[in-house]
Amino acid sequence: EVPERLDSWGSQVTGMYDLMDYIESNYTLSELSQIKVAVIDSGVDLHHKFLQDRLIETGFNISGDGDPNSEQNLKDGHGNMVSSVIVDNTLDNVKISVYRVLNDKGTTTISAIISAIGEAALRGANYINISICCGGSSEAEKRFFEETLEQIYERYNTMVIAGSGNYGRNIDYYNDLPAACELTITHLFRFVNRNYYYFSERIFLYR
């Protein structure tokens, strides 16, 4: 049986479940606008039961592995995890489109990520989540990212949310992209004492 919610610690602490209950008790689904969230990642299991009725297939895969015309990926569950967190913290009016850029080794290129950003914005994404951190990037690469983010924000009003890695390091010092870029909302998922994870309450908003 597929649970309606995952009862995650992060969702409880941030009050997302309470917020969702409030919205559901005051609005019908038909009264809510559809919101499209693009996930640029390792792909996704298109038949994952928890994600059913929330996915919009893209057929986008520039990772170099798997079917080039499908974001389907059963080898790496990172995209499933990210998509599941979004589904668990949103209502059914939020739909997810996954763009695969990570190959089977979990690597990609900055140009691949930027191509996926442009494609997602062109297809009408309201938000783009990139839980990928390109550390030690050059200033030229940062400018390339920032110019792209500025263009999609001004042209499509699309906002990018990016992960800053799992260790809480200074993203500006290490030039971690796209987390260190302007026009990015940055989230942190941190590993502590090799035992457990916790979500930071700090959100970096660059402008």
Side-chain angles (χ1 to χ4, degrees):
E1 184 177 353
V2 181
E4 182 178 351
R5 294 178 180 172
L6 300 179
D7 291 327
S8 70
W9 176 86
S11 301
Q12 294 170 8
V13 168
T14 57
M16 286 305 301
Y17 291 152
D18 292 336
L19 176 60
M20 291 162 63
D21 288 340
Y22 173 81
I23 295 174
E24 285 188 309
S25 65
N26 288 277
Y27 301 91
T28 63
L29 185 61
S30 62
E31 292 178 293
L32 302 175
S33 299
Q34 185 180 96
I35 297 173
K36 297 180 180 179
V37 179
V39 174
I40 297 176
D41 213 283
S42 64
V44 70
D45 178 0
L46 292 169
H47 306 292
H48 195 292
K49 292 182 179 180
F50 189 68
L51 304 178
Q52 290 306 295
D53 301 321
R54 301 293 292 275
L55 292 174
I56 299 175
E57 291 190 38
T58 64
F60 187 94
N61 178 6
I62 54 173
S63 68
D65 287 322
D67 184 345
N69 298 310
S70 175
E71 66 273 32
Q72 173 83 351
N73 185 4
L74 301 179
K75 294 183 178 180
D76 186 332
H78 191 268
N80 285 341
M81 181 272 291
V82 173
S83 300
S84 296
V85 170
I86 296 171
V87 167
D88 193 39
N89 288 275
T90 57
L91 299 176
D92 289 346
N93 64 306
V94 177
K95 304 300 181 182
I96 298 172
S97 300
V98 180
Y99 296 77
R100 184 177 179 186
V101 298
L102 292 173
N103 59 27
D104 289 345
K105 296 180 180 180
T107 62
T108 187
T109 63
I110 287 178
S111 60
I113 295 174
I114 288 177
S115 294
I117 291 173
E119 185 67 20
L122 185 63
R123 296 191 191 189
N126 302 105
Y127 301 93
I128 300 175
N129 184 88
I130 309 173
S131 294
I132 301 170
C133 191
C134 303
S137 302
S138 68
E139 285 301 315
E141 290 169 328
K142 184 176 182 179
R143 286 194 299 272
F144 189 19
F145 253 121
E146 290 183 335
E147 289 172 1
T148 300
L149 299 184
E150 184 174 355
Q151 289 176 12
I152 67 164
Y153 182 73
E154 292 181 351
R155 183 175 301 180
Y156 303 105
N157 198 31
T158 301
M159 180 60 70
V160 171
I161 299 97
S164 61
N166 300 333
Y167 302 100
R169 70 183 191 177
N170 187 317
I171 59 175
D172 290 320
Y173 178 81
Y174 290 99
N175 223 13
D176 294 334
L177 303 179
C181 293
E182 293 185 2
L183 289 177
T184 302
I185 297 175
T186 302
H187 59 79
L188 171 67
F189 184 52
R190 189 173 181 185
F191 183 57
V192 180
N193 296 330
R194 300 184 181 275
N195 291 319
Y196 64 92
Y197 292 93
Y198 77 87
F199 290 88
S200 79
E201 70 284 358
R202 183 179 179 189
I203 295 180
F204 306 90
L205 179 58
Y206 291 85
R207 175 55 177 163

